[in-house]
Each structure stands twice: as structure tokens, then as C-alpha cells.
């Protein structure tokens, strides 16, 4: 993230500067094509305004974005969001999910890898030797790699992602990755035992439709594990007016709480087999970073809060453990099950 | 006209300012057919800006929107942050920051505290605006500042104005303090008192769209140009059996399923044909206002962006140096001071020619900017007969009733003139969308009524 442009840089370099739009990279001065949407869970357009934000992390556009809460079902979503044709702009080549490697992130990569492996294997419990697993929105294949390295060697492990960069990066590691989206990609219906949607659902333009397609791919009794940012947390309460890390402007389009997740399950026609929260320091760290950056704090201080900073990640991991213990961990983990019994 | 047919007819929108265009944008998104009638040759109305070849931008007063509205409409990428905004009051030759500077004066504080200790009865407080201000601010501050300003602004004695003028006006002191602090720390002009509908917070600040607030209207009008009829004043709104059934424009009748009107309430009462129910709205009054924009050499000539003039020897009650907040509105090294003068249509001020108005202002403002004559480079005057609704006690009941319901099925007044309210820019946007949901519900209900009655007929 060395290339990011921070407000603090700008105000120091040009005191009293007034620029058009929000701070952005020099090559991203053109406005994004935007589209206005209604609630994807219940269809209502009655909203409560929550936040105005900008791309604090990657500075990919001069636009500002409005996030709202549906007055009818409580879903938090981006009301005016970038059009689908702008995905290459808002997921730049240096986007972390395309490059989460040990080379870039060293120690943090190793810690996260072992933590995630444990979580992942818990989700795979009870799968037979011939199990088929699909990682929806697999990015550069981080979780697929974990399954390959730590899971049962006879499992058939596949991923799907719509990003060229991600698919290329994953295939280079010898992983099976389909290019496209689940709604249109020709995958065998009713054939998968387990689907993973880890940090995926919040990025989708229409989570309901995608989840319905995933359901069709699953065998009877098959499960989908969803991990996503939790809006029923203290960090959300404190920072929801602008800087909350989970907004990840403008890339997180739908954000869930346990209640809205249950509603989504009802609308898809799946059962909630498990619903819990898990610990993550990321939203805490990025909420603080965004706040500091936005209000012009010195760069050295802003940089203390990032994915590259083991100290802040460690502190907020401990801190979020307290919230986890109270039932409000930073991430939601939901297991939805297809009706019918497994073979 | 055939009422049954009208339930599938388009909705008529009267007026192409921010409110009318928000209505149009919303209906378009919901795939409801509509026709927008604009009397003038272009959209935007009072939200328009005027530019001259010297690089000045003129607005009807200090215009800005906030980043929240900009994001909602999708023009965030075309707005500049306003980094500072402040208001002051000039009394006995001294400027006091508003509102906290005034609190530094022990006289005002003592008088305000006295009122807090011995509050008047609720009934007395709400009798008129003068009582309301004396009870809320203390006698001294009310008599020396609030009441003279209110009277100059509305053109009526404060004892004849409704207390509702004040009660909607401000945030609490802690809220104001919080927002001011946030403004200082974040170095942005955080809005304070600019949205009644949705709470303000430290992350909502003023922004100025490139070229003026009219950009908002252009954005809303994108893709619906073919449904906008310019130079098409609506002559009549036709009501049958208590329901709107059509409009007449250019002597042609158009069946409609509903009418959404931004027309000033008193004019609306004259437009409606087929019922007398809106007659009382005819007495509602709007304050005409003249804005004299003085082009001056130099910058930061006033102590603050807005300087209030409560003392009666000034013709104006408010001065605004917009380039203090929005430097891009005047060329470098130059500035614009806007002098607001309340008047009545046709009176001396209203009819005075531009140069004479400029001279009058220069003469008076020497007290505040001593070398203003040397700096003066001409002026540009904007006039509007409908700057603000005036809340007179004599028709307060009518106003309150209008705020609840217009009383004609299918007729929906919107915008600050249509609703006769002191709604602000962002309020208008969200209130109008809320009203449009009602319009759609009404339209759906009429349609199903129509289907039911035709089904009965078939049987």
C-alpha cells in the first residue's frame, strides 16, 4: 500500500488546498460510473443514512459513497455504488487479496495461515474422502492452498473468482480455479458438499441471487460457510458514521448482522446450522487508521495501523477477544445447510 | 375527464428546481411515468448560479450542499470541500462569533440565565416569536440581536410572527460545541444547523459543486430530459370530486394520476380548479429579497463568512463574503460581498436600479470596511419575490394544517415553497423522496380501486 495517497500528505504538501472530489491517485481522477440500488434482502428503498465515505485505503477514485441501513430489514448496504463495469478500477493490481503472500506480509502471513487453517478444518469436519469443495470468491487461492496443504489429499478442491489477476495468481500455484461468477459459470449442479464464502458475500452486487446459485450447486444436506464483517459490534457502533474498517469503501456493498443473516437464510431457503462470531483485529485497526488519516494525523502515526503492523494487529486481536467472549466478535461465521440429508 | 383512466396516467410535477427534479428522479427509478412542467427556460430555479467573464460566481445567498447529499446524488467527485464557515454578529461596532462569542458578554449571559431561572409559561412562550426568543435567549440577546434580525428578515413585527419560526432553528449547545470542535480538528466546515430531517454529525460537512449548486439539478435531470417540458407553466390543476384528475398547460389538458407541486403555496391555491378548499392558502406570504453582490478588491474584508447586522441603521440585515469559505467564487485577490436586503415587491428597494443599490450599500458599509469606496468595482443584483416563507400568526393554523395534509387526493406539495417550510437543501431531498413513496402508494391504491370496479362491472 505504499502508493496510497493520504489526506495528511496532501494537506502538508499544499496547505489550504481545495481539490475537486476526494483525494485520489493521480491516475484515478475520473469519476466512477455509479448505480443506485435498493435493499437486496427485502427490496425496500426506505433507508436510514449511516455514512459518507471514500476509498481511504487505495484512493482509486475521486467519488464519495453513501452507506445506509434498510429501515425494514436492517441490512447495511451501499446505496450508490460503483457500477459492475468499474471492478478493475476499484480492485487495483496491488489489492491485498490478490497478493496476500509471505513475501509481502511475512510474520503476519504465517500467523494468519495457521489460524485460518484451524478454522477451515473445523468447517470441513465430517466430509468424506471424495468430498467436493468450492471456494466462491477465492481471490488468489489463499484458502484453497490451506485445504491442499492441511486437508484430506483426496478432496476435490476448486475455486471461482471473477478477477483476472486473482485467477492468474491462483492458477500459477497449480490450483483449480474457474473464471467467472456462480450464476453463469457452468459448474455441475447438486455436486458440491461444501462451499466457502470467506470475505466474499460483502463484495457481491446481489448476495441473495448468488447464494441461491450456490445452493443449487450443493448436494442435499450440503453446507455453505459464510464469514463476513459483523455490524453488531462495538467498532461498528463507534465508527459507523464514516471510518469503520468494515465498510472498505467502495468494495463492501452489503454488510450483515446476525439478524440480517438469518433473514437472508430464510429468503434463500436454507437452514442456519451454526451462527457465531470470530475474532479479527482488522476492522479495529482500519477504523482507527481511516480516522487518523482522514483527520490529518502525521503519516508515521497513521502507518502504525495497517496489515503490515504486527503490534497493532496483536493488541486488537486481544481486544477483540473480549468482544468475542461477549458474543460480538468482529466477524460473523455462519453455516447454512441445504435442506435434505447428506448421502 | 374519465377518472378511472387517470390512475394509469402520468404524474405531473410542477417546477424544475431541486425538489421537482428529486421527485422526477425518484419516479423515473421506480418506472412511474411523469411529466415535469417548468415555467422558465431552464431547470434549477433558485439553485442556479450566474458566472461572469471576470471569474465571479453569483448565487442567491451563500449556497452550498453537504458531502452527504453530494454522495447521495452521485456528485461527490465534482465537489470541493468547504474548509471553513463561520458567522458573526456586529453590535456597537464589535463583532461577536455566533453563537459562542455572544456568550462571552456577561450582560447577555446574565439575562439568559434570568430567563432560565424564571421561565415563562409554555402558553406565553408560544404566543408569538418575540416571546419565544425572549424566553429562549433572554431579553437582552432577543431584543438586541434575534428579534431585530428576525424582523428585517421577515418584514413583520416579531409579535405578529408565530413561535414556530424559532423552535425549529437550532441544535442544543453540547451538540453545537461538538460539531464546532470537529470542524476545527478536521479542518472542514462541519455543518451545524443545516439539516432538520437527519441528524448532523462530525463527518457531514459543506461542499460546493463545480459551477454551483445547479450541478445537483443537472445530475438529477440526467437521462430524463425527454420528460421535462421547459417554458411550460401549468395554468390549472383540475380537481374532480376531491381528487386531482388533470392539468392544463398551454391550453391543453393532460390527464394525470397525481400532481406533485413545487409552486409557492399561495400560487397553488390559485391554480387549483374545481374546489375552494385551498382558498385559505392564498393568504400565505413569502418575503421578497434583493441580493446585491459587490465586487471588491482584496479578500477577507469581513470578520467572518457571514456577518449579521441587527442594528436598525443598516438597510441590510446580513452580509456574506462567500470567498472566505469558497475561494473559487472570485478571482484571486478579489472578493464578493453579498448584501441581503428584505423588501416588498414594488417598493423603493425592489425597484431601485442596480447601480443605485450598489452605491447605497457602499455608502452604508463604510462603517464596516472603511476603504470600501476605493475597493468597489461594480455590482450585480439578484432579486427574488419568494426568498423565505413568512410565518405570520394570523395564518398559523393554515400553515400547520398544510404541513399535515393538503386536503385534496392526489395533490402533493413539495420543496420549501410548496410546503411553505424552512426546509434546507438536504431536507428537501429526503422529504421529497418520502413524499414520492406516498404518491406511488396513492397511485397503486387508485389502480387497484379501478381494477376492482371494472371487475365488478364484468360480473
Amino acid at each position: 500500500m505504499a502508493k496510497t495517497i493520504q489526506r495528511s500528505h496532501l494537506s502538508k504538501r499544499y496547505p489550504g488546498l481545495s481539490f475537486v472530489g476526494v483525494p485520489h491517485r493521480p491516475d484515478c481522477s475520473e469519476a466512477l460510473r455509479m448505480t443506485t440500488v435498493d435493499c437486496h434482502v427485502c427490496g425496500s428503498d426506505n433507508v436510514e443514512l449511516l455514512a459518507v465515505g471514500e476509498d481511504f485505503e487505495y484512493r482509486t477514485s475521486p467519488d464519495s459513497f453513501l452507506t445506509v441501513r434498510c429501515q425494514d430489514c436492517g441490512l447495511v448496504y451501499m446505496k450508490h455504488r460503483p457500477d459492475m463495469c468499474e471492478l478493475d478500477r476499484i480492485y487495483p493490481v496491488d489489492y491485498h487479496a490478490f497478493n496476500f503472500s509471505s513475501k509481502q506480509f511475512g510474520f503476519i502471513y504465517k500467523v494468519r495461515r495457521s489460524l485460518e487453517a484451524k478454522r477451515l478444518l473445523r468447517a470441513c469436519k465430517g466430509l468424506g474422502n471424495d468430498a467436493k469443495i468450492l471456494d466462491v470468491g477465492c481471490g488468489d487461492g489463499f484458502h484453497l492452498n490451506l485445504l491442499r496443504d492441511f486437508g484430506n489429499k483426496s478432496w476435490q478442491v476448486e475455486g471461482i473468482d471473477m478477477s483476472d489477476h486473482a485467477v492468474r495468481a491462483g492458477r500459477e500455484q497449480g490450483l483449480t480455479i474457474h473464471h467467472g461468477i456462480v450464476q453463469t459459470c457452468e459448474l455441475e449442479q447438486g455436486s458440491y458438499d461444501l462451499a466457502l464464502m470467506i470475505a466474499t458475500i460483502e463484495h457481491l452486487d446481489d448476495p441473495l441471487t448468488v447464494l441461491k446459485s450456490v445452493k443449487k450447486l450443493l448436494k442435499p444436506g450440503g453446507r455453505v460457510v459464510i464469514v463476513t464483517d459483523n455490524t453488531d459490534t462495538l467498532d461498528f457502533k463507534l465508527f459507523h458514521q464514516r471510518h469503520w474498517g468494515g465498510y472498505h469503501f467502495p468494495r463492501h456493498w452489503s454488510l450483515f448482522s446476525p439478524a440480517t443473516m438469518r433473514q437472508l437464510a430464510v429468503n434463500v431457503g436454507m437452514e442456519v446450522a451454526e451462527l457465531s462470531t470470530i475474532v479479527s483485529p482488522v476492522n479495529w485497526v482500519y477504523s482507527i487508521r481511516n480516522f487518523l488519516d482522514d483527520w490529518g494525523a502525521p503519516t508515521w502515526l497513521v502507518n502504525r495501523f495497517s496489515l503490515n503492523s504486527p503490534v497493532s494487529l496483536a493488541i486488537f486481536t486481544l481486544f477483540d477477544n473480549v468482544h468475542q467472549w461477549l458474543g460480538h466478535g468482529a466477524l460473523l461465521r455462519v453455516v447454512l445447510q441445504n435442506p435434505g440429508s447428506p448421502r | 375527464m374519465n377518472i378511472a383512466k387517470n390512475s394509469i396516467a402520468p404524474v405531473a410535477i410542477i417546477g424544475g428546481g431541486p425538489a421537482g427534479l428529486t421527485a422526477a428522479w425518484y419516479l423515473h427509478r421506480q418506472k412511474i411515468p411523469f411529466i415535469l412542467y417548468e415555467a422558465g427556460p431552464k431547470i434549477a430555479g433558485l439553485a442556479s448560479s450566474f458566472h461572469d467573464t471576470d471569474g465571479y460566481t453569483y448565487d442567491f445567498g451563500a449556497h452550498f450542499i453537504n458531502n452527504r447529499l453530494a454522495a447521495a446524488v452521485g456528485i461527490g467527485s465534482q465537489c470541493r470541500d468547504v474548509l471553513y464557515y463561520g458567522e458573526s454578529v456586529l453590535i456597537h461596532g464589535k463583532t461577536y462569533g455566533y453563537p459562542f462569542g455572544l456568550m462571552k458578554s456577561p450582560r447577555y449571559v446574565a439575562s439568559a440565565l434570568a430567563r432560565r431561572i424564571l421561565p415563562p409559561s409554555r402558553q406565553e412562550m408560544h404566543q408569538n416569536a418575540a416571546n419565544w426568543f425572549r424566553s429562549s435567549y433572554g431579553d437582552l440577546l432577543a431584543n438586541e440581536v434575534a428579534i431585530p434580525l428576525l424582523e428585517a428578515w421577515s418584514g413583520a413585527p416579531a409579535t405578529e410572527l408565530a413561535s414556530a419560526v424559532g423552535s425549529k432553528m437550532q441544535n442544543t449547545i453540547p451538540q453545537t460545541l461538538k460539531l464546532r470542535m470537529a470542524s476545527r480538528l478536521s479542518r472542514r466546515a462541519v455543518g451545524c444547523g443545516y439539516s432538520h430531517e437527519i441528524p448532523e454529525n462530525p463527518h457531514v460537512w459543506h461542499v460546493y459543486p463545480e459551477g454551483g449548486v445547479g450541478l445537483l439539478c443537472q445530475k438529477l435531470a440526467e437521462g430524463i430530459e425527454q420528460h421535462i417540458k421547459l417554458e411550460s407553466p401549468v395554468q390549472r390543476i383540475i380537481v374532480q370530486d376531491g381528487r386531482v384528475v388533470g392539468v392544463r398547460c398551454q391550453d391543453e389538458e393532460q390527464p394525470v394520476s397525481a400532481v406533485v407541486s413545487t409552486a409557492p403555496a399561495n400560487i397553488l391555491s390559485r391554480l387549483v380548479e374545481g374546489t375552494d378548499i385551498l382558498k385559505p392558502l392564498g393568504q400565505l406570504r413569502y418575503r421578497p429579497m434583493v441580493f446585491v453582490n459587490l465586487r471588491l478588491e482584496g479578500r477577507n474584508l469581513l470578520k467572518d463568512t457571514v456577518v449579521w447586522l441587527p442594528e436598525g441603521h443598516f438597510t441590510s440585515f446580513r452580509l456574506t463574503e462567500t470567498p472566505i469559505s469558497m475561494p473559487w467564487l472570485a478571482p484571486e485577490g478579489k472578493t464578493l460581498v453579498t448584501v441581503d436586503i428584505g423588501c416588498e415587491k414594488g417598493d423603493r428597494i425592489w425597484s431601485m436600479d442596480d447601480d443605485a443599490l450598489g452605491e447605497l450599500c457602499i455608502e452604508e458599509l463604510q462603517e464596516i470596511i472603511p476603504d470600501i469606496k476605493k475597493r468597489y468595482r461594480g455590482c450585480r443584483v439578484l432579486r427574488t419575490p419568494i426568498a423565505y416563507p413568512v410565518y405570520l400568526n394570523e395564518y398559523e393554523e393554515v400553515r400547520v394544517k398544510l404541513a399535515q395534509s393538503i386536503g385534496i387526493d392526489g395533490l402533493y406539495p413539495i420543496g420549501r415553497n410548496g410546503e411553505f417550510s424552512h426546509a434546507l437543501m438536504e431536507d428537501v431531498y429526503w422529504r421529497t423522496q418520502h413524499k414520492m413513496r406516498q404518491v406511488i402508494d396513492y397511485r397503486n391504491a387508485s389502480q387497484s380501486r379501478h381494477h376492482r370496479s371494472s371487475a365488478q362491472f364484468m360480473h
Side-chain angles (χ1 to χ4, degrees):
Chain A
M1 263 163 274
K3 270 193 252 161
T4 39
I5 293 181
Q6 294 172 357
R7 258 189 207 283
S8 46
H9 288 158
L10 283 167
S11 54
K12 238 175 256 149
R13 213 176 315 145
Y14 317 102
L17 166 87
S18 68
F19 33 83
V20 182
V22 310
H24 49 269
R25 301 179 185 198
D27 56 336
C28 292
S29 56
E30 210 174 303
L32 293 168
R33 266 169 187 277
M34 304 272 267
T35 151
T36 304
V37 298
D38 296 332
C39 177
H40 285 298
V41 172
C42 73
S44 163
D45 77 336
N46 199 3
V47 298
E48 169 200 353
L49 305 190
L50 288 182
V52 183
E54 54 200 49
D55 187 352
F56 293 113
E57 292 166 56
Y58 294 90
R59 297 290 180 198
T60 57
S61 90
D63 298 275
S64 51
F65 308 95
L66 184 74
T67 295
V68 299
R69 182 178 359 233
C70 174
Q71 291 277 49
D72 294 322
C73 77
L75 181 77
V76 173
Y77 66 99
M78 200 178 285
K79 183 81 189 151
H80 303 270
R81 59 164 176 73
D83 194 84
M84 291 297 278
C85 69
E86 298 284 14
L87 293 185
D88 284 343
R89 268 279 294 283
I90 64 174
Y91 294 98
V93 191
D94 58 341
Y95 188 61
H96 68 268
F98 303 153
N99 304 285
F100 190 72
S101 60
S102 58
K103 209 166 67 198
Q104 270 235 337
F105 290 89
F107 174 69
I108 293 157
Y109 178 83
K110 282 184 198 137
V111 173
R112 180 165 175 229
R113 200 171 139 83
S114 79
L115 264 173
E116 291 282 327
K118 244 164 75 185
R119 284 176 181 166
L120 202 54
L121 291 179
R122 188 160 64 97
C124 298
K125 241 187 203 163
L127 288 180
N129 287 337
D130 59 345
K132 255 180 94 177
I133 305 173
L134 180 67
D135 186 359
V136 181
C138 60
D140 62 0
F142 177 76
H143 290 97
L144 295 175
N145 261 320
L146 291 180
L147 286 172
R148 190 169 62 175
D149 296 350
F150 298 98
N152 188 327
K153 300 287 178 247
S154 60
W155 287 343
Q156 190 182 326
V157 180
E158 300 164 15
I160 176 165
D161 205 291
M162 61 187 298
S163 150
D164 296 337
H165 316 299
V167 171
R168 211 175 307 126
R171 283 181 183 163
E172 275 167 16
Q173 302 166 66
L175 298 164
T176 311
I177 299 188
H178 307 278
H179 190 195
I181 54 173
V182 278
Q183 298 96 303
T184 53
C185 203
E186 285 175 7
L187 300 171
E188 194 188 337
Q189 304 223 333
S191 73
Y192 291 89
D193 297 87
L194 178 70
L196 303 173
M197 293 177 77
I198 296 168
T200 298
I201 198 163
E202 63 273 20
H203 293 264
L204 301 175
D205 65 325
D206 186 354
L208 186 67
T209 308
V210 173
L211 208 50
K212 279 181 176 165
S213 306
V214 171
K215 179 177 183 274
K216 281 187 200 153
L217 297 176
L218 292 174
K219 289 178 184 166
R223 289 169 301 155
V224 53
V225 177
I226 300 171
V227 176
T228 185
D229 302 88
N230 184 5
T231 58
D232 184 27
T233 58
L234 181 65
D235 48 317
F236 180 79
K237 281 194 186 81
L238 290 177
F239 294 101
H240 76 271
Q241 285 177 336
R242 182 166 170 85
H243 300 119
W244 187 51
Y247 286 142
H248 196 39
F249 289 113
R251 287 164 286 266
H252 285 183
W253 293 351
S254 310
L255 293 150
F256 294 84
S257 67
T260 47
M261 194 49 95
R262 284 183 195 281
Q263 184 60 50
L264 180 70
V266 170
N267 294 3
V268 177
M270 293 181 88
E271 287 159 23
V272 178
E274 284 175 45
L275 194 154
S276 58
T277 70
I278 48 182
V279 173
S280 165
V282 176
N283 285 348
W284 279 105
V285 168
Y286 273 84
S287 300
I288 295 169
R289 182 193 172 90
N290 293 344
F291 168 73
L292 290 172
D293 177 20
D294 190 35
W295 281 36
T299 312
W300 66 264
L301 182 63
V302 175
N303 287 341
R304 293 282 86 83
F305 298 87
S306 84
L307 282 183
N308 287 312
S309 159
V311 179
S312 64
L313 289 173
I315 292 171
F316 284 101
T317 302
L318 286 174
F319 192 55
D320 202 48
N321 260 293
V322 180
H323 297 100
Q324 165 71 3
W325 181 66
L326 295 167
H328 296 277
L331 299 179
L332 265 183
R333 180 181 183 278
V334 193
V335 181
L336 302 183
Q337 186 153 25
N338 223 354
S341 55
R343 272 185 299 162
Chain B
M1 259 185 216
N2 183 342
I3 293 178
K5 251 193 202 160
N6 292 353
S7 59
I8 46 166
V11 174
I13 301 171
I14 304 177
L21 290 165
T22 302
W25 174 85
Y26 190 90
L27 293 177
H28 181 65
R29 255 201 94 222
Q30 304 296 329
K31 302 193 170 58
I32 307 278
F34 67 89
I35 304 168
L36 188 150
Y37 297 93
E38 166 56 45
K42 60 190 191 65
I43 56 167
L46 288 177
S48 311
S49 302
F50 303 89
H51 307 275
D52 67 15
T53 46
D54 299 332
Y56 288 97
T57 302
Y58 309 90
D59 291 327
F60 283 95
H63 271 186
F64 30 57
I65 59 171
N66 63 33
N67 60 333
R68 193 159 62 184
L69 180 56
V73 177
I75 55 169
S77 62
Q78 297 169 73
C79 289
R80 290 172 199 263
D81 289 351
V82 177
L83 303 182
Y84 170 83
Y85 174 78
E87 297 184 9
S88 287
V89 184
L90 183 77
I91 316 164
H92 311 311
K94 257 182 89 179
T95 24
Y96 299 84
Y98 175 85
F100 296 116
L102 288 165
M103 287 184 190
K104 285 182 200 149
S105 154
R107 290 165 63 233
Y108 292 141
V109 174
S111 130
L113 280 176
R115 274 294 183 172
R116 283 288 140 107
I117 296 162
L118 293 169
S121 70
R122 251 189 87 76
Q123 197 196 352
E124 196 189 330
M125 179 171 173
H126 286 280
Q127 221 164 36
N128 58 50
N131 284 9
W132 191 92
F133 279 105
R134 289 192 187 114
S135 320
S136 311
Y137 296 173
D139 287 2
L140 257 159
L141 195 53
N143 293 342
E144 289 187 10
V145 180
I147 292 175
L149 285 176
L150 175 67
E151 292 183 338
W153 175 65
S154 57
T159 46
E160 288 177 21
L161 291 166
S163 64
V165 174
S167 51
K168 243 192 148 182
M169 264 172 47
Q170 74 283 71
N171 283 310
T172 60
I173 291 175
Q175 173 77 349
T176 307
L177 257 176
K178 180 175 121 183
L179 296 174
R180 286 299 168 92
M181 284 278 287
S183 190
R184 192 157 286 188
L185 288 172
S186 66
R187 280 167 280 175
R188 294 192 279 239
V190 172
C192 182
Y194 280 84
S195 163
H196 299 315
E197 295 284 311
I198 314 156
E200 294 179 308
N201 70 51
H203 313 293
V204 176
W205 65 85
H206 299 304
V207 298
Y208 191 87
E210 283 282 86
V213 175
L215 181 72
L216 181 101
C217 297
Q218 286 163 24
K219 181 74 186 181
L220 289 168
E222 245 172 44
I224 55 173
E225 293 83 357
Q226 70 276 27
H227 306 294
I228 298 176
K229 291 191 170 184
L230 296 174
E231 299 187 80
S232 307
V234 167
Q235 300 155 307
R236 283 282 175 269
I237 297 170
I238 305 155
V239 174
Q240 275 176 20
D241 305 325
R243 302 170 54 141
V244 165
V245 293
V247 295
R248 190 178 311 133
C249 175
Q250 286 158 350
D251 296 321
E252 268 181 44
E253 281 186 11
Q254 165 70 46
V256 297
S257 52
V259 168
V260 175
S261 165
T262 69
N266 53 2
I267 291 173
L268 179 69
S269 89
R270 274 175 258 147
L271 285 180
V272 168
E273 174 181 287
T275 172
D276 284 341
I277 193 172
L278 296 192
K279 226 172 193 169
L281 296 184
Q283 54 183 318
L284 300 184
R285 274 174 41 196
Y286 294 81
R287 176 69 158 166
M289 199 84 54
V290 170
F291 301 97
V292 186
N293 293 290
L294 305 171
R295 286 190 294 264
L296 301 170
E297 289 291 328
R299 265 287 162 95
N300 303 328
L301 302 181
L302 296 182
K303 287 272 166 65
D304 230 330
T305 318
V306 170
V307 175
W308 294 93
L309 305 175
E311 289 169 346
H313 65 276
F314 291 106
T315 311
S316 161
F317 65 98
R318 180 171 57 191
L319 307 175
T320 312
E321 190 179 345
T322 43
I324 291 182
S325 289
M326 295 165 282
W328 49 86
L329 296 183
E332 210 171 310
K334 297 178 179 166
T335 198
L336 263 185
V337 170
T338 306
V339 183
D340 297 9
I341 311 176
C343 58
E344 295 306 325
K345 244 172 119 175
D347 74 2
R348 187 178 69 96
I349 294 288
W350 181 265
S351 343
M352 205 182 272
D353 76 64
D354 293 8
D355 290 337
L357 273 169
E359 291 300 329
L360 175 79
C361 295
I362 293 299
E363 209 57 51
E364 284 193 5
L365 294 190
Q366 285 189 83
E367 196 181 319
I368 300 165
I369 309 166
D371 57 352
I372 191 165
K373 275 196 171 163
K374 271 199 328 226
R375 296 175 177 276
Y376 183 51
R377 296 289 177 274
C379 73
R380 176 153 179 172
V381 179
L382 301 177
R383 295 176 176 82
T384 169
I386 47 167
Y388 301 100
V390 182
Y391 286 12
L392 283 179
N393 248 338
E394 65 181 63
Y395 50 64
E396 179 62 1
E397 252 177 67
V398 177
R399 185 192 71 81
V400 172
K401 229 180 113 195
L402 170 66
Q404 287 154 358
S405 157
I406 186 97
I408 295 176
D409 288 348
L411 178 59
Y412 296 85
I414 57 163
R416 57 184 291 159
N417 292 329
E419 295 190 20
F420 197 71
S421 74
H422 292 155
L424 298 155
M425 202 72 93
E426 195 188 13
D427 294 333
V428 167
Y429 180 76
W430 297 108
R431 283 177 71 96
T432 300
Q433 293 198 37
H434 180 71
K435 277 251 171 107
M436 289 307 106
R437 280 193 274 273
Q438 293 173 8
V439 171
I440 292 171
D441 287 347
Y442 168 79
R443 220 169 156 268
N444 290 344
S446 331
Q447 266 182 30
S448 56
R449 223 179 5 251
H450 167 55
H451 286 313
R452 261 203 314 278
S453 54
S454 34
Q456 272 165 9
F457 178 74
M458 302 277 283
H459 285 293

